[in-house]
Amino acid sequence: MGFLAILLALLIEQARPLSFDNPVHAGLRAWGRGVRRNLDAGQSSHGWMAWLLAVGVPAALAALIYHALWELSGVLALVWTVAVLYVTLGFRQFSHHFSEIRRSLEDGDERGAREQLARWLRVDASTLPRTELLRQVIEHSVLAAHRHVFGVFVCFLVFWVIGLGPAGAVFYRLAEYLSRNWRERPDGTPSAALRRAAATAWRWIDHVPARVTALGFAVVGNFEEAVASWRADAERFAPGSDGVVLAATSGAINVRLTPQDPAAPPPDETDPGARPEPQLAHLGSVVGLVWRAVVLWMLLLALLTLARV
């Protein structure tokens, strides 16, 4: 049932993508805000209590509803699982940004591409050179694919195996959302304890999924370069698990994703080991890499399902 639920959710999400302001996501965002406002008292214990409540209650509710429906009918349990995956897993929750930027660049409209990137990341991208623009698009697209697809995929399967139904998908997505949302604001909120709890929990939770994503990219891309980059250079790309995903991507599609250090000598273009700067063609390589990785993990899951049957 797990394989069928993921397949149906991906197909439905491709046909009818959720809008950003859908009521489910809006309700979960309001839930997180309510927990923060009522429980953020500045102490470390309060920070962890708030995080556990914000993430644990929706995940537990998803598991309880699944088991209640399973007692009535396996079909109802499947429908609930597909519904949960539909709102937590999928490309179309972020891919429209990537598609619009790519279309603008293909049309020669770099200004439009920068405006799209600025709306996506909520930053000023008006002065970005073309190479840095492409680098930012590749990096954020790959990380979004990891957080919206592969990470959810891994956590869903782990919780599914231990009998908690679709709770893992809810658990992962809420943990990722809170790690971003519970960051310091200009007014000083949330407290340092709450920010630390959300960041620490996310670092633990994403440790294994990030490496599964990196492994998938290595298998369907340039394996030797991806693994070498992952092992040697992950910390140069980004702190924590993000660096693992980006390092593997850099090697898998042979592109430089770390900006050149102004103090360092320029790279030797004649060096066969030197990776080229991002080009428009690399956006297509990213799309192919991600979809091949999806097919890889779905095939493995299908084989495991058949073996179990």
Side-chain angles (χ1 to χ4, degrees), residues 24 43 50-51 63 70 75 121 173 176 186 207 211 218 238 240 244 302:
V24 177
Q43 300 297 319
W51 185 89
W70 180 262
V75 175
L121 305 182
R173 288 298 298 130
E176 189 275 330
H207 183 83
R211 282 148 182 82
V244 172

Side-chain angles (χ1 to χ4, degrees), residues 27-249:
L28 290 174
R29 289 193 292 268
W31 165 253
R33 287 195 300 270
V35 171
R36 175 177 61 83
R37 290 170 181 169
N38 288 291
L39 295 180
D40 186 11
Q43 300 297 319
S44 179
S45 59
H46 296 149
W48 281 106
M49 184 182 301
W51 185 89
L52 288 170
L53 185 63
V55 175
V57 169
L61 187 61
L64 289 173
I65 293 175
Y66 168 79
H67 282 288
L69 292 175
W70 180 262
E71 293 297 324
L72 297 175
S73 168
V75 175
L76 291 177
L78 174 63
V79 170
W80 170 248
T81 302
V82 172
V84 172
L85 288 174
Y86 175 62
V87 299
T88 55
L89 179 148
F91 292 100
R92 300 296 290 274
Q93 298 180 30
F94 70 90
S95 64
H96 59 284
H97 296 292
F98 176 88
S99 300
E100 290 171 356
I101 293 172
R102 184 182 181 186
R103 189 178 303 114
S104 295
L105 289 172
E106 288 175 342
D107 293 341
D109 183 11
E110 290 192 18
R111 179 179 178 182
R114 292 188 180 92
E115 291 174 353
Q116 293 289 347
L117 182 65
R119 281 196 290 270
W120 183 11
L121 305 182
R122 295 181 175 87
V123 297
D124 181 13
S126 58
T127 60
L128 283 180
R130 180 182 176 87
T131 298
E132 185 60 26
L133 172 65
L134 288 165
R135 180 181 290 112
Q136 292 283 341
V137 173
I138 292 172
E139 289 184 355
H140 288 283
S141 298
V142 168
L143 290 176
H146 163 62
R147 294 167 183 168
H148 287 82
V149 181
F150 300 109
V152 180
F153 186 97
V154 172
C155 275
F156 166 75
L157 291 179
V158 170
F159 279 64
W160 183 270
V161 168
I162 62 177
L164 295 178
V170 178
F171 183 81
Y172 183 87
R173 288 298 298 130
L174 277 174
E176 189 275 330
Y177 168 72
L178 294 180
S179 73
R180 290 184 290 107
N181 187 258
W182 286 0
R183 291 176 178 171
E184 187 173 10
R185 292 176 168 78
D187 60 359
T189 59
S191 69
L194 194 61
R195 298 197 306 270
R196 187 163 51 249
T200 302
W202 172 244
R203 187 165 59 250
W204 292 344
I205 292 166
D206 198 41
H207 183 83
V208 173
R211 282 148 182 82
V212 172
T213 299
L215 178 61
F217 288 169
V219 171
V220 300
N222 187 325
F223 185 83
E224 291 186 3
E225 288 295 324
V227 172
S229 181
W230 169 4
R231 295 179 60 185
D233 302 325
E235 288 300 321
R236 290 198 305 111
F237 286 85
S241 296
D242 287 356
V244 172
V245 175
L246 293 177
T249 303

Side-chain angles (χ1 to χ4, degrees), residues 270-286:
T270 63
D271 181 3
R275 295 190 183 120
E277 294 290 344
Q279 304 294 328
L280 182 58
H282 285 117
L283 298 185
S285 299
V286 169

Side-chain angles (χ1 to χ4, degrees), residues 2-18 81-83 85-87 89-93 148-149 153 291 294-295 298:
F3 168 79
L4 183 59
I6 293 174
L7 179 62
L8 289 174
L10 287 174
L11 292 175
I12 295 171
E13 199 258 352
Q14 287 293 310
R16 296 188 62 85
L18 275 175
T81 302
V82 172
L85 288 174
Y86 175 62
V87 299
L89 179 148
F91 292 100
R92 300 296 290 274
Q93 298 180 30
H148 287 82
V149 181
F153 186 97
W291 275 110
V294 170
V295 172
M298 290 298 290

